[in-house]
Amino acid sequence: MSKEFGSFGETTNLQSWKQLQALYDASGKDIQVTEEFKKDPQRLEKNSFEFENYDGSKIFFDFSKNRINDTVKEHLLKLAEETKVQQLRDAMFAGEHINTTEDRAVYHVALRAHGDAPMKVDGVDVLPEVKKVREHMREFSDEVRSGSWLGYTGKKITDVVNIGIGGSDLGPTMVSEALKHYAGDIKVHYVSNIDGTHVAETLKNLNAETTLFAIASKTFTTAETYTNATTAKEWFFSQGAKEADVAKHFVALSTNTEEVQKFGIDPKNMFGFESWVGGRYSVWSSIGLSVAIYVGYDRFEQFLKGAEAMDKHFLNTELSKNIPALGGLLSVWYTNFFGSQTHLVAPFDQYLHRFPAYLQQLSMESNGKSVNRASQFVNYQTGAVLFGEPCTNAQHSFFQLLHQGTKLIPADFILAAKSHNPIRDNLHQTMLTSNFLAQSEALLNGKDEEVVKSEGAPDFLVNHKVFSGNRPTTSILAQELTPATLGALIAYYEHVTFTEGAVWNINSFDQWGVELGKVLAKKIQKDLETPGEVKTHDESTRGLINLYKKWSV
């Protein structure tokens, strides 16, 4: 990658950063959003954006309840320019090796591209291969769904079990749940945890004659996935199947032909993806095969096109109107100047109940870094702790902290205006929407002492019933949760994460922090399998190993 996009040292040394800090110290920290609305009748118009998807559907992003004004926004945009957000973005879309520590391109955007213009990595146009894999996915998913693909006893496939971990599980699991409304007759199940309970409970009620296993592992050597896959194969044999029957019931989402064949899977049933596809960005690739079988390939294609539409917006829109870029800059504003350490994503949609878990990997694996692109330890905060649960249930658990706690927690609220289940004359959706709107309004306005007293609260309860307000929220309102909408929403958060990482001057596309625990686990596993007490490790770990050995007999 060109040095132009490599590193600019400490972000805090940049002039734009120093100006933002001075602005925060002088007035930024005291911005009252309700007062800003009074000052500027066009505040909503200036700070909200309507995204139009490829199919004409729309998503409305309202940033107006955030603790910014025109001056703050202007300085944040200067920071984006000085940190070369646009140049790094353009380098990513050009297939350059912006993953510097692993010397790889970051090209998941190619997985959802549908044009004919070449998209090259190292001089090679990758689109023909991407389209070839897509066509393979279409053919296979159509065969399984139609019943022309039969199990070893001639029966139609009724269940698909996806075995993966990390991005090979979180992505397809979330998308399958989000698009459940569109599902056909085939059921999908996801196994990720090495805890034997996960695979055992999943297999308990399945029929080997009608079950298809999709083993999702790029290298086909990931310990947890390989162990679960082997357990599934042993179960398959225990139900009466033979080695030759594996070809009808196991497919591989992988690039390691040798290991796939060794496992017994026919290479014809391999669905590959390239080294420039990171795990947390892989749902757009063959890792999404189980989704395509579940909802149909045409809808999977709509999902891809929705993401592509957001890609085009991110690539071609000036920063001042660029929805993901602005979302990322707001995150930097809160993380680095207000000292916020968390970020809430609360979907007001039961179909999106796995969405926060998916975003946790996307955000925290990407930007949970303390070393910049110049290999220096940073002197500022990076990735926020992202969390969330679907509302309205979440309102009855942790929303107390949002409203009256001592921490500032920026929050995203997501709602689809049109419900797939408008039961009881749409009563449920009306109640849901009223909560979506009320929560952001309450966090904005709060309730002051005067109002509390006017409501008749006794003196000793007044402070308990005061809400400070001025707590930032972003409202995201979609017309309907369709495959295209979901694709656009995911791509929005991908590019928010990208923008954060670009400003922080970190590599958002490696994950070295995942490795150490895995390496140590292999060593400890040998200790657990060796008879007798262990004498190595630190005192605590040694004691726990020996106690486990005693108790697990």
Side-chain angles (χ1 to χ4, degrees):
M1 187 178 72
S2 168
K3 289 182 179 179
E4 181 183 358
F5 312 120
S7 176
F8 41 79
E10 292 290 4
T11 303
T12 49
N13 290 332
L14 298 175
Q15 187 65 27
S16 55
W17 185 283
K18 293 176 180 177
Q19 290 172 343
L20 265 171
Q21 187 64 61
L23 176 60
Y24 172 82
D25 293 337
S27 61
K29 64 179 181 295
D30 298 319
I31 289 175
Q32 295 292 318
V33 180
T34 52
E35 292 301 314
E36 296 298 324
F37 272 108
K38 292 175 184 177
K39 291 178 191 175
D40 187 356
Q42 294 183 307
R43 181 176 174 83
L44 174 61
E45 184 180 344
K46 288 179 180 177
N47 294 285
S48 60
F49 304 88
E50 190 172 87
F51 167 79
E52 184 169 341
N53 216 324
Y54 84 96
D55 59 358
S57 63
K58 296 175 181 178
I59 307 174
F60 186 71
F61 293 81
D62 179 7
F63 298 118
S64 66
K65 291 189 178 81
N66 283 281
R67 290 168 74 165
I68 57 170
N69 54 27
D70 290 348
T71 306
V72 170
K73 192 172 175 181
E74 179 185 342
H75 281 74
L76 285 170
L77 291 169
K78 287 180 180 177
L79 178 65
E81 290 175 8
E82 199 170 0
T83 53
K84 304 183 185 300
V85 170
Q86 292 162 293
Q87 291 95 322
L88 190 67
R89 173 201 64 191
D90 294 347
M92 177 176 72
F93 277 85
E96 294 191 34
H97 287 212
I98 67 168
N99 179 350
T100 51
T101 59
E102 297 178 304
D103 193 22
R104 292 177 183 171
V106 177
Y107 224 25
H108 47 276
V109 294
L111 297 171
R112 54 237 195 178
H114 287 81
D116 295 320
M119 298 186 75
K120 295 182 178 181
V121 174
D122 299 325
V124 178
D125 183 7
V126 302
L127 268 185
E129 181 63 24
V130 167
K131 292 178 179 179
K132 181 180 177 182
V133 172
R134 280 189 208 150
E135 189 56 34
H136 189 193
M137 291 173 67
R138 178 190 288 279
E139 292 171 356
F140 184 77
S141 58
D142 285 351
E143 285 182 1
V144 174
R145 285 170 61 85
S146 69
S148 60
W149 180 281
L150 300 174
Y152 74 98
T153 60
K155 293 181 180 178
K156 184 179 183 293
I157 298 299
T158 60
D159 295 84
V160 175
V161 179
N162 185 95
I163 298 178
I165 198 167
S168 298
D169 171 80
L170 287 165
T173 299
M174 179 274 291
V175 174
S176 294
E177 288 296 306
L179 300 182
K180 185 179 287 187
H181 172 75
Y182 299 93
D185 297 331
I186 296 176
K187 297 176 183 177
V188 294
H189 314 267
Y190 291 91
V191 172
S192 58
N193 201 337
I194 194 60
D195 183 345
T197 299
H198 201 180
V199 65
E201 288 291 340
T202 300
L203 298 176
K204 188 178 291 184
N205 297 313
L206 297 183
N207 181 349
E209 298 175 73
T210 59
T211 299
L212 177 73
F213 294 92
I215 314 303
S217 173
K218 183 185 292 189
T219 63
F220 222 76
T221 58
T222 306
E224 298 94 336
T225 299
Y226 193 84
T227 300
N228 279 326
T230 303
T231 298
K233 188 168 70 169
E234 289 179 358
W235 170 84
F236 183 62
F237 292 152
S238 74
Q239 304 300 300
K242 306 297 182 186
E243 188 71 41
D245 302 325
V246 170
K248 281 290 185 181
H249 291 266
F250 285 78
V251 299
L253 318 179
S254 178
T255 57
N256 192 335
T257 305
E258 184 180 348
E259 288 298 324
V260 167
Q261 284 182 300
K262 193 184 298 183
F263 189 85
I265 295 175
D266 189 335
K268 293 178 183 178
N269 300 330
M270 267 185 68
F271 299 80
F273 50 101
E274 300 299 326
S275 64
W276 39 258
V277 181
R280 54 193 174 278
Y281 301 96
S282 63
V283 70
W284 318 102
S285 71
S286 60
I287 292 296
L289 179 65
S290 55
V291 177
I293 295 172
Y294 188 50
V295 302
Y297 187 82
D298 287 345
R299 292 194 177 98
F300 183 75
E301 192 76 13
Q302 293 164 14
F303 170 66
L304 298 181
K305 288 181 177 179
E308 182 187 24
M310 185 61 77
D311 291 341
K312 290 177 178 178
H313 169 85
F314 183 58
L315 178 62
N316 300 318
T317 307
E318 62 181 271
L319 287 182
S320 64
K321 298 176 182 177
N322 195 304
I323 300 170
L326 291 171
L329 291 173
L330 280 171
S331 177
V332 171
W333 177 234
Y334 293 126
T335 300
N336 298 107
F337 298 94
F338 284 88
S340 296
Q341 295 185 324
T342 58
H343 186 105
L344 168 65
V345 176
F348 284 71
D349 194 309
Q350 188 59 31
Y351 284 123
L352 291 176
H353 72 103
R354 293 294 294 166
F355 195 51
Y358 172 81
L359 294 182
Q360 283 176 337
Q361 185 194 22
L362 171 63
S363 176
M364 294 195 283
E365 191 168 84
S366 295
N367 289 340
K369 312 289 171 61
S370 57
V371 176
N372 67 17
R373 292 200 296 267
S375 298
Q376 303 164 331
F377 286 99
V378 300
N379 62 353
Y380 47 87
Q381 291 292 307
T382 59
V385 176
L386 190 147
F387 72 105
E389 282 290 324
C391 292
T392 56
N393 196 43
Q395 295 171 196
H396 294 264
S397 58
F398 55 76
F399 268 49
Q400 169 65 39
L401 184 65
L402 262 67
H403 285 283
Q404 291 184 307
T406 58
K407 296 172 175 59
L408 182 71
I409 304 176
D412 296 353
F413 294 161
I414 305 172
L415 175 75
K418 185 177 180 181
S419 173
H420 289 306
N421 301 288
I423 57 178
R424 294 188 65 191
D425 295 325
N426 217 31
L427 171 64
H428 287 260
Q429 185 68 6
T430 302
M431 290 179 67
L432 183 70
T433 304
S434 68
N435 279 273
F436 167 78
L437 298 169
Q439 288 296 329
S440 63
E441 186 176 49
L443 287 162
L444 169 67
N445 293 322
K447 184 189 287 189
D448 62 25
E449 182 179 332
E450 185 178 341
V451 173
V452 172
K453 286 182 176 179
S454 72
E455 292 175 344
D459 289 345
F460 77 95
L461 278 182
V462 169
N463 287 347
H464 293 279
K465 293 195 171 188
V466 167
F467 292 72
S468 64
N470 205 35
R471 304 200 176 206
T473 58
T474 294
S475 297
I476 302 174
L477 178 62
Q479 287 183 307
E480 188 175 14
L481 183 58
T482 64
T485 298
L486 181 65
L489 280 175
I490 297 171
Y492 163 75
Y493 280 103
E494 285 182 352
H495 298 319
V496 165
T497 303
F498 172 93
T499 301
E500 293 169 339
V503 172
W504 288 326
N505 192 24
I506 56 177
N507 181 7
S508 298
F509 306 104
D510 59 14
Q511 53 279 328
W512 301 106
V514 177
E515 300 300 319
L516 179 58
K518 292 167 70 173
V519 171
L520 291 177
K522 290 181 180 179
K523 295 179 180 179
I524 291 175
Q525 183 176 345
K526 291 181 180 178
D527 290 334
L528 293 172
E529 293 170 346
T530 303
E533 283 198 351
V534 170
K535 305 295 183 182
T536 54
H537 301 284
D538 63 90
E539 187 175 355
S540 171
T541 304
R542 181 170 63 249
L544 289 167
I545 290 173
N546 290 328
L547 185 59
Y548 169 82
K549 283 186 161 188
K550 180 180 178 182
W551 283 6
S552 61
V553 176

